[in-house]
mmCIF file of all heavy atoms in Angstrom:
data_model
loop_
_atom_site.group_PDB
_atom_site.id
_atom_site.type_symbol
_atom_site.label_atom_id
_atom_site.label_comp_id
_atom_site.label_asym_id
_atom_site.label_seq_id
_atom_site.Cartn_x
_atom_site.Cartn_y
_atom_site.Cartn_z
ATOM 1 N N LEU A 54 8.895 0.177 -8.229
ATOM 2 C CA LEU A 54 8.998 1.273 -9.293
ATOM 3 C C LEU A 54 10.103 2.283 -8.953
ATOM 4 O O LEU A 54 10.899 2.724 -9.807
ATOM 5 C CB LEU A 54 7.670 1.988 -9.390
ATOM 6 C CG LEU A 54 6.591 1.420 -10.271
ATOM 7 C CD1 LEU A 54 5.393 2.231 -10.251
ATOM 8 C CD2 LEU A 54 7.112 1.488 -11.744
ATOM 9 N N MET A 55 10.253 2.732 -7.734
ATOM 10 C CA MET A 55 11.059 3.689 -7.223
ATOM 11 C C MET A 55 12.601 3.300 -7.488
ATOM 12 O O MET A 55 13.411 3.980 -7.830
ATOM 13 C CB MET A 55 10.912 4.242 -5.837
ATOM 14 C CG MET A 55 11.813 5.312 -5.504
ATOM 15 S SD MET A 55 11.459 5.985 -3.796
ATOM 16 C CE MET A 55 10.090 6.915 -4.082
ATOM 17 N N LEU A 56 12.719 1.996 -7.078
ATOM 18 C CA LEU A 56 14.098 1.380 -7.138
ATOM 19 C C LEU A 56 14.538 1.343 -8.649
ATOM 20 O O LEU A 56 15.718 1.537 -8.971
ATOM 21 C CB LEU A 56 14.203 0.090 -6.327
ATOM 22 C CG LEU A 56 14.132 0.217 -4.982
ATOM 23 C CD1 LEU A 56 14.089 -1.292 -4.460
ATOM 24 C CD2 LEU A 56 15.236 0.939 -4.372
ATOM 25 N N ALA A 57 13.581 0.883 -9.473
ATOM 26 C CA ALA A 57 14.085 0.633 -10.963
ATOM 27 C C ALA A 57 14.106 1.872 -11.719
ATOM 28 O O ALA A 57 15.032 2.033 -12.470
ATOM 29 C CB ALA A 57 13.022 -0.389 -11.477
ATOM 30 N N PHE A 58 13.156 2.770 -11.574
ATOM 31 C CA PHE A 58 13.230 3.990 -12.427
ATOM 32 C C PHE A 58 13.557 5.410 -11.715
ATOM 33 O O PHE A 58 13.579 6.260 -12.376
ATOM 34 C CB PHE A 58 11.625 4.238 -12.904
ATOM 35 C CG PHE A 58 11.236 3.136 -13.864
ATOM 36 C CD1 PHE A 58 10.570 2.165 -13.350
ATOM 37 C CD2 PHE A 58 11.638 3.091 -15.222
ATOM 38 C CE1 PHE A 58 10.091 1.000 -14.282
ATOM 39 C CE2 PHE A 58 11.253 2.121 -16.042
ATOM 40 C CZ PHE A 58 10.516 1.028 -15.635
ATOM 41 N N GLY A 59 13.792 5.309 -10.405
ATOM 42 C CA GLY A 59 14.169 6.471 -9.750
ATOM 43 C C GLY A 59 13.025 7.176 -9.171
ATOM 44 O O GLY A 59 11.850 6.818 -9.264
ATOM 45 N N LYS A 60 13.284 8.078 -8.220
ATOM 46 C CA LYS A 60 12.147 8.580 -7.309
ATOM 47 C C LYS A 60 11.140 9.506 -8.153
ATOM 48 O O LYS A 60 9.914 9.458 -7.759
ATOM 49 C CB LYS A 60 12.766 9.290 -6.178
ATOM 50 C CG LYS A 60 13.348 10.617 -6.636
ATOM 51 C CD LYS A 60 13.949 11.409 -5.469
ATOM 52 C CE LYS A 60 14.500 12.670 -5.897
ATOM 53 N NZ LYS A 60 14.832 13.669 -5.112
ATOM 54 N N GLU A 61 11.538 10.113 -9.284
ATOM 55 C CA GLU A 61 10.507 10.933 -9.809
ATOM 56 C C GLU A 61 9.453 10.136 -10.563
ATOM 57 O O GLU A 61 8.276 10.442 -10.532
ATOM 58 C CB GLU A 61 11.305 11.755 -11.076
ATOM 59 C CG GLU A 61 12.164 12.817 -10.510
ATOM 60 C CD GLU A 61 13.501 12.416 -10.040
ATOM 61 O OE1 GLU A 61 13.936 11.268 -10.467
ATOM 62 O OE2 GLU A 61 14.105 13.081 -9.235
ATOM 63 N N THR A 62 9.790 9.018 -11.103
ATOM 64 C CA THR A 62 8.682 8.075 -11.708
ATOM 65 C C THR A 62 7.752 7.588 -10.633
ATOM 66 O O THR A 62 6.618 7.644 -10.920
ATOM 67 C CB THR A 62 9.439 6.866 -12.440
ATOM 68 O OG1 THR A 62 10.372 7.374 -13.371
ATOM 69 C CG2 THR A 62 8.386 5.929 -13.056
ATOM 70 N N ALA A 63 8.290 7.106 -9.502
ATOM 71 C CA ALA A 63 7.436 6.566 -8.482
ATOM 72 C C ALA A 63 6.490 7.635 -7.905
ATOM 73 O O ALA A 63 5.285 7.599 -7.602
ATOM 74 C CB ALA A 63 8.165 5.901 -7.427
ATOM 75 N N LEU A 64 7.207 8.829 -7.693
ATOM 76 C CA LEU A 64 6.359 10.051 -7.146
ATOM 77 C C LEU A 64 5.418 10.569 -8.086
ATOM 78 O O LEU A 64 4.408 11.238 -7.734
ATOM 79 C CB LEU A 64 7.327 11.133 -6.683
ATOM 80 C CG LEU A 64 8.078 10.862 -5.453
ATOM 81 C CD1 LEU A 64 9.144 11.892 -5.050
ATOM 82 C CD2 LEU A 64 7.292 10.430 -4.314
ATOM 83 N N SER A 65 5.513 10.391 -9.352
ATOM 84 C CA SER A 65 4.537 10.638 -10.407
ATOM 85 C C SER A 65 3.351 9.786 -10.295
ATOM 86 O O SER A 65 2.215 10.206 -10.563
ATOM 87 C CB SER A 65 5.170 10.886 -11.727
ATOM 88 O OG SER A 65 5.243 9.386 -12.217
ATOM 89 N N LYS A 66 3.591 8.629 -9.925
ATOM 90 C CA LYS A 66 2.489 7.600 -9.734
ATOM 91 C C LYS A 66 1.761 7.759 -8.424
ATOM 92 O O LYS A 66 0.386 7.692 -8.313
ATOM 93 C CB LYS A 66 2.947 6.232 -9.812
ATOM 94 C CG LYS A 66 3.802 5.817 -10.983
ATOM 95 C CD LYS A 66 2.785 5.543 -12.145
ATOM 96 C CE LYS A 66 3.739 5.184 -13.374
ATOM 97 N NZ LYS A 66 2.958 5.298 -14.630
ATOM 98 N N LEU A 67 2.454 8.057 -7.437
ATOM 99 C CA LEU A 67 1.817 8.305 -6.066
ATOM 100 C C LEU A 67 2.632 9.450 -5.403
ATOM 101 O O LEU A 67 3.821 9.008 -4.868
ATOM 102 C CB LEU A 67 1.797 6.995 -5.333
ATOM 103 C CG LEU A 67 1.121 7.214 -3.807
ATOM 104 C CD1 LEU A 67 -0.468 7.410 -4.053
ATOM 105 C CD2 LEU A 67 1.160 5.870 -3.083
ATOM 106 N N SER A 68 2.266 10.659 -5.346
ATOM 107 C CA SER A 68 3.064 11.557 -4.764
ATOM 108 C C SER A 68 3.047 11.687 -3.147
ATOM 109 O O SER A 68 2.188 10.963 -2.552
ATOM 110 C CB SER A 68 2.621 13.007 -5.207
ATOM 111 O OG SER A 68 1.152 13.199 -4.798
ATOM 112 N N LYS A 69 3.981 12.464 -2.537
ATOM 113 C CA LYS A 69 3.934 12.465 -1.273
ATOM 114 C C LYS A 69 2.689 13.112 -0.574
ATOM 115 O O LYS A 69 2.196 12.351 0.387
ATOM 116 C CB LYS A 69 5.156 13.452 -0.742
ATOM 117 C CG LYS A 69 6.403 12.762 -0.873
ATOM 118 C CD LYS A 69 7.517 13.593 -0.304
ATOM 119 C CE LYS A 69 7.736 14.949 -1.156
ATOM 120 N NZ LYS A 69 8.780 15.775 -0.664
ATOM 121 N N PRO A 70 1.931 14.096 -1.099
ATOM 122 C CA PRO A 70 0.713 14.434 -0.437
ATOM 123 C C PRO A 70 -0.297 13.402 -0.726
ATOM 124 O O PRO A 70 -1.135 13.183 0.121
ATOM 125 C CB PRO A 70 0.392 15.780 -1.261
ATOM 126 C CG PRO A 70 1.630 16.309 -1.748
ATOM 127 C CD PRO A 70 2.549 14.981 -2.037
ATOM 128 N N ALA A 71 -0.335 12.733 -1.792
ATOM 129 C CA ALA A 71 -1.306 11.695 -2.042
ATOM 130 C C ALA A 71 -1.155 10.545 -1.096
ATOM 131 O O ALA A 71 -2.035 9.967 -0.528
ATOM 132 C CB ALA A 71 -1.314 11.172 -3.528
ATOM 133 N N ALA A 72 0.074 10.071 -0.876
ATOM 134 C CA ALA A 72 0.461 9.034 0.135
ATOM 135 C C ALA A 72 -0.117 9.440 1.451
ATOM 136 O O ALA A 72 -0.650 8.624 2.265
ATOM 137 C CB ALA A 72 1.900 8.683 0.144
ATOM 138 N N ALA A 73 0.140 10.646 1.894
ATOM 139 C CA ALA A 73 -0.312 11.137 3.238
ATOM 140 C C ALA A 73 -1.742 11.215 3.299
ATOM 141 O O ALA A 73 -2.376 10.878 4.307
ATOM 142 C CB ALA A 73 0.404 12.640 3.547
ATOM 143 N N LEU A 74 -2.365 11.595 2.207
ATOM 144 C CA LEU A 74 -3.910 11.532 2.202
ATOM 145 C C LEU A 74 -4.469 10.187 2.307
ATOM 146 O O LEU A 74 -5.377 9.978 3.114
ATOM 147 C CB LEU A 74 -4.335 12.247 0.800
ATOM 148 C CG LEU A 74 -5.809 12.312 0.692
ATOM 149 C CD1 LEU A 74 -6.379 13.354 1.631
ATOM 150 C CD2 LEU A 74 -6.286 12.590 -0.750
ATOM 151 N N PHE A 75 -3.820 9.279 1.561
ATOM 152 C CA PHE A 75 -4.313 7.924 1.598
ATOM 153 C C PHE A 75 -4.020 7.299 3.138
ATOM 154 O O PHE A 75 -4.945 6.489 3.558
ATOM 155 C CB PHE A 75 -3.609 6.947 0.632
ATOM 156 C CG PHE A 75 -4.196 7.152 -0.862
ATOM 157 C CD1 PHE A 75 -3.337 7.484 -1.832
ATOM 158 C CD2 PHE A 75 -5.563 6.929 -1.125
ATOM 159 C CE1 PHE A 75 -3.873 7.559 -3.063
ATOM 160 C CE2 PHE A 75 -6.161 7.163 -2.283
ATOM 161 C CZ PHE A 75 -5.274 7.419 -3.300
ATOM 162 N N GLU A 76 -3.040 7.600 3.638
ATOM 163 C CA GLU A 76 -2.653 7.033 4.946
ATOM 164 C C GLU A 76 -3.720 7.594 5.911
ATOM 165 O O GLU A 76 -4.294 6.816 6.678
ATOM 166 C CB GLU A 76 -1.286 7.385 5.452
ATOM 167 C CG GLU A 76 -0.999 6.821 6.809
ATOM 168 C CD GLU A 76 0.490 7.096 7.240
ATOM 169 O OE1 GLU A 76 1.106 7.969 6.566
ATOM 170 O OE2 GLU A 76 0.893 6.588 8.266
ATOM 171 N N SER A 77 -3.926 8.917 5.910
ATOM 172 C CA SER A 77 -5.089 9.559 6.780
ATOM 173 C C SER A 77 -6.423 8.839 6.432
ATOM 174 O O SER A 77 -7.164 8.542 7.379
ATOM 175 C CB SER A 77 -5.134 11.002 6.566
ATOM 176 O OG SER A 77 -3.913 11.503 6.887
ATOM 177 N N PHE A 78 -6.755 8.722 5.185
ATOM 178 C CA PHE A 78 -7.965 8.093 4.853
ATOM 179 C C PHE A 78 -8.158 6.753 5.464
ATOM 180 O O PHE A 78 -9.239 6.186 5.960
ATOM 181 C CB PHE A 78 -8.116 8.135 3.288
ATOM 182 C CG PHE A 78 -9.426 7.361 2.883
ATOM 183 C CD1 PHE A 78 -10.621 7.885 3.049
ATOM 184 C CD2 PHE A 78 -9.277 6.059 2.285
ATOM 185 C CE1 PHE A 78 -11.686 7.120 2.597
ATOM 186 C CE2 PHE A 78 -10.368 5.317 1.999
ATOM 187 C CZ PHE A 78 -11.692 5.924 2.115
ATOM 188 N N GLY A 79 -7.159 5.884 5.412
ATOM 189 C CA GLY A 79 -7.166 4.518 5.917
ATOM 190 C C GLY A 79 -7.328 4.586 7.375
ATOM 191 O O GLY A 79 -8.268 3.670 7.849
ATOM 192 N N ALA A 80 -6.675 5.400 8.158
ATOM 193 C CA ALA A 80 -7.016 5.422 9.582
ATOM 194 C C ALA A 80 -8.457 5.900 9.870
ATOM 195 O O ALA A 80 -8.990 5.336 10.781
ATOM 196 C CB ALA A 80 -6.000 6.376 10.134
ATOM 197 N N ILE A 81 -8.857 6.978 9.189
ATOM 198 C CA ILE A 81 -10.235 7.417 9.503
ATOM 199 C C ILE A 81 -11.196 6.511 9.066
ATOM 200 O O ILE A 81 -12.228 6.262 9.664
ATOM 201 C CB ILE A 81 -10.401 8.829 8.786
ATOM 202 C CG1 ILE A 81 -9.550 9.970 9.410
ATOM 203 C CG2 ILE A 81 -11.854 9.257 8.633
ATOM 204 C CD1 ILE A 81 -9.462 11.217 8.615
ATOM 205 N N ALA A 82 -10.997 5.770 7.927
ATOM 206 C CA ALA A 82 -12.052 4.691 7.531
ATOM 207 C C ALA A 82 -12.096 3.625 8.463
ATOM 208 O O ALA A 82 -13.143 3.072 8.801
ATOM 209 C CB ALA A 82 -11.585 4.195 6.228
ATOM 210 N N PHE A 83 -10.982 3.190 9.065
ATOM 211 C CA PHE A 83 -10.973 2.107 10.054
ATOM 212 C C PHE A 83 -11.725 2.489 11.349
ATOM 213 O O PHE A 83 -12.440 1.805 11.804
ATOM 214 C CB PHE A 83 -9.508 1.740 10.420
ATOM 215 C CG PHE A 83 -9.528 0.388 11.219
ATOM 216 C CD1 PHE A 83 -9.708 -0.707 10.735
ATOM 217 C CD2 PHE A 83 -9.095 0.572 12.535
ATOM 218 C CE1 PHE A 83 -9.532 -1.867 11.491
ATOM 219 C CE2 PHE A 83 -9.003 -0.521 13.275
ATOM 220 C CZ PHE A 83 -9.126 -1.781 12.769
ATOM 221 N N LEU A 84 -11.364 3.693 11.709
ATOM 222 C CA LEU A 84 -12.057 4.366 12.925
ATOM 223 C C LEU A 84 -13.526 4.543 12.643
ATOM 224 O O LEU A 84 -14.449 4.208 13.519
ATOM 225 C CB LEU A 84 -11.405 5.692 13.294
ATOM 226 C CG LEU A 84 -11.900 6.338 14.690
ATOM 227 C CD1 LEU A 84 -11.491 5.439 15.767
ATOM 228 C CD2 LEU A 84 -11.158 7.653 14.894
ATOM 229 N N ALA A 85 -13.915 4.817 11.446
ATOM 230 C CA ALA A 85 -15.401 5.105 11.135
ATOM 231 C C ALA A 85 -16.149 3.758 11.181
ATOM 232 O O ALA A 85 -17.170 3.636 11.544
ATOM 233 C CB ALA A 85 -15.540 5.731 9.813
ATOM 234 N N ILE A 86 -15.502 2.734 10.639
ATOM 235 C CA ILE A 86 -16.107 1.373 10.726
ATOM 236 C C ILE A 86 -16.373 0.881 12.022
ATOM 237 O O ILE A 86 -17.402 0.305 12.525
ATOM 238 C CB ILE A 86 -15.154 0.384 9.883
ATOM 239 C CG1 ILE A 86 -15.221 0.654 8.397
ATOM 240 C CG2 ILE A 86 -15.645 -1.169 10.184
ATOM 241 C CD1 ILE A 86 -14.096 0.050 7.575
ATOM 242 N N ALA A 87 -15.331 1.116 12.964
ATOM 243 C CA ALA A 87 -15.428 0.805 14.362
ATOM 244 C C ALA A 87 -16.481 1.533 15.074
ATOM 245 O O ALA A 87 -17.279 0.990 15.876
ATOM 246 C CB ALA A 87 -14.113 0.849 15.088
ATOM 247 N N THR A 88 -16.597 2.869 14.735
ATOM 248 C CA THR A 88 -17.634 3.681 15.396
ATOM 249 C C THR A 88 -19.092 3.319 14.849
ATOM 250 O O THR A 88 -20.012 3.388 15.591
ATOM 251 C CB THR A 88 -17.194 5.291 15.112
ATOM 252 O OG1 THR A 88 -15.916 5.306 15.512
ATOM 253 C CG2 THR A 88 -18.235 6.175 15.760
ATOM 254 N N LEU A 89 -19.211 3.080 13.623
ATOM 255 C CA LEU A 89 -20.402 2.730 13.010
ATOM 256 C C LEU A 89 -20.909 1.364 13.647
ATOM 257 O O LEU A 89 -22.199 1.286 13.972
ATOM 258 C CB LEU A 89 -20.302 2.517 11.526
ATOM 259 C CG LEU A 89 -20.395 3.800 10.754
ATOM 260 C CD1 LEU A 89 -20.141 3.437 9.184
ATOM 261 C CD2 LEU A 89 -21.532 4.629 10.919
#
Side-chain angles (χ1 to χ4, degrees):
L54 273 176
M55 184 177 280
L56 290 174
F58 292 99
K60 66 177 181 169
E61 288 81 18
T62 303
L64 290 177
S65 70
K66 304 285 183 195
L67 185 64
S68 65
K69 288 185 290 184
L74 180 74
F75 281 126
E76 186 180 7
S77 300
F78 173 75
I81 290 171
F83 190 74
L84 189 61
I86 292 167
T88 306
L89 284 174

